[in-house]
Amino acid sequence: MALSKYEDLTDIHLDVLKEVGNIGSGNAAAALSTLINKNVQIQMPNISIVPFQEATNLSGGAERVVAGVMSRMVGGIEGMILILMDKNFVNTIIKVFFNQEVHGLIDMEETVVSALSEVGNIICGTYVSAIGQLTGIDVKLASPCFQVDMAGALMSVPVIEFGEVGDKILYIDKNLIIDGQTMNAEVFLIPTIDSLGTIMTKLGIEV
């Protein structure tokens, strides 16, 4: 039976998506290390398929203010990637580029926003590359959109865009250790149902 919603995913399908997350997370750590010229390690990410509401709760609650970078996947795979960055993560990046820290995430300077957008875009690209590594599918990213808001508001974007796939999302919770400091960055990967079918088919997995 063809996939019609995330709830139709079997354990085999989920294992494939988790492998995408594992590869993407490893690639993200390497790319970030090169970008900021610091030692970046990554603990084994916690990867799960969860309801949108649960994903919001896992990310610290709907009212937590975060910096978010979201980008559309286009080409052979369509969907969206959303990355949430907390204040500690933001300050680590900003200190590298500008030798300063932000007191709050609201009203950051344009140069700071540009740097964070680029970091988010690079991280998003590592997950797209992971899909390509596994499937051979050519996937591209549209220009990233950077926004500071409550986590619940940012999470509502993929809910509205892709609500027809069901109420589930691929949640990737990863702990990055940058020069000995542990911080968290959350990744939400939301391929469309048709794209999920394409991924599985390319890998010879029945859908």
Side-chain angles (χ1 to χ4, degrees), residues 32-53:
L32 188 58
S33 179
T34 299
L35 179 68
I36 66 177
N37 194 30
K38 288 183 177 292
N39 179 35
V40 178
Q41 298 175 324
I42 183 167
Q43 297 177 359
M44 184 64 69
N46 175 33
I47 302 170
S48 55
I49 303 289
V50 298
F52 283 113
Q53 184 59 51

Side-chain angles (χ1 to χ4, degrees), residues 2-184:
L3 294 173
S4 61
K5 55 186 181 300
Y6 271 49
E7 284 84 346
D8 293 334
L9 293 169
T10 66
D11 288 342
I12 294 176
H13 298 144
L14 295 180
D15 285 343
V16 170
L17 292 176
K18 288 178 179 180
E19 185 60 20
V20 170
N22 280 324
I23 294 174
S25 294
N27 291 349
L32 188 58
S33 179
T34 299
L35 179 68
I36 66 177
N37 194 30
K38 288 183 177 292
N39 179 35
V40 178
Q41 298 175 324
I42 183 167
Q43 297 177 359
M44 184 64 69
N46 175 33
I47 302 170
S48 55
I49 303 289
V50 298
F52 283 113
Q53 184 59 51
E54 184 178 341
T56 302
N57 293 336
L58 287 170
S59 67
E63 296 184 356
R64 182 174 68 115
V65 176
V66 293
V69 177
M70 63 184 71
S71 187
R72 288 182 173 275
M73 295 181 288
V74 296
I77 297 295
E78 296 184 345
M80 182 177 290
I81 301 177
L82 170 64
I83 297 174
L84 300 184
M85 300 177 285
D86 65 12
K87 185 179 176 182
N88 286 339
F89 185 92
V90 168
N91 271 329
T92 297
I93 300 301
I94 297 311
K95 192 167 185 178
V96 168
F97 286 111
F98 305 107
N99 195 30
Q100 66 184 53
E101 294 185 354
V102 296
H103 299 292
L105 297 179
I106 306 297
D107 296 328
M108 290 185 289
E109 296 179 2
E110 185 175 343
T111 53
V112 171
V113 169
S114 178
L116 291 173
S117 296
E118 181 59 22
V119 169
N121 191 44
I122 289 172
I123 294 176
C124 286
T126 64
Y127 289 91
V128 167
S129 296
I131 294 174
Q133 283 180 249
L134 284 175
T135 65
I137 299 172
D138 183 25
V139 191
K140 294 181 174 62
L141 286 175
S143 297
C145 174
F146 178 90
Q147 188 171 351
V148 173
D149 208 330
M150 291 185 294
L154 294 176
M155 283 295 301
S156 70
V157 176
V159 171
I160 293 170
E161 289 285 335
F162 301 107
E164 74 277 3
V165 305
D167 73 337
K168 298 292 195 300
I169 190 171
L170 180 63
Y171 172 75
I172 306 170
D173 175 23
K174 60 182 183 177
N175 287 320
L176 294 172
I177 303 173
I178 302 178
D179 279 358
Q181 181 181 0
T182 300
M183 57 198 65
N184 183 263

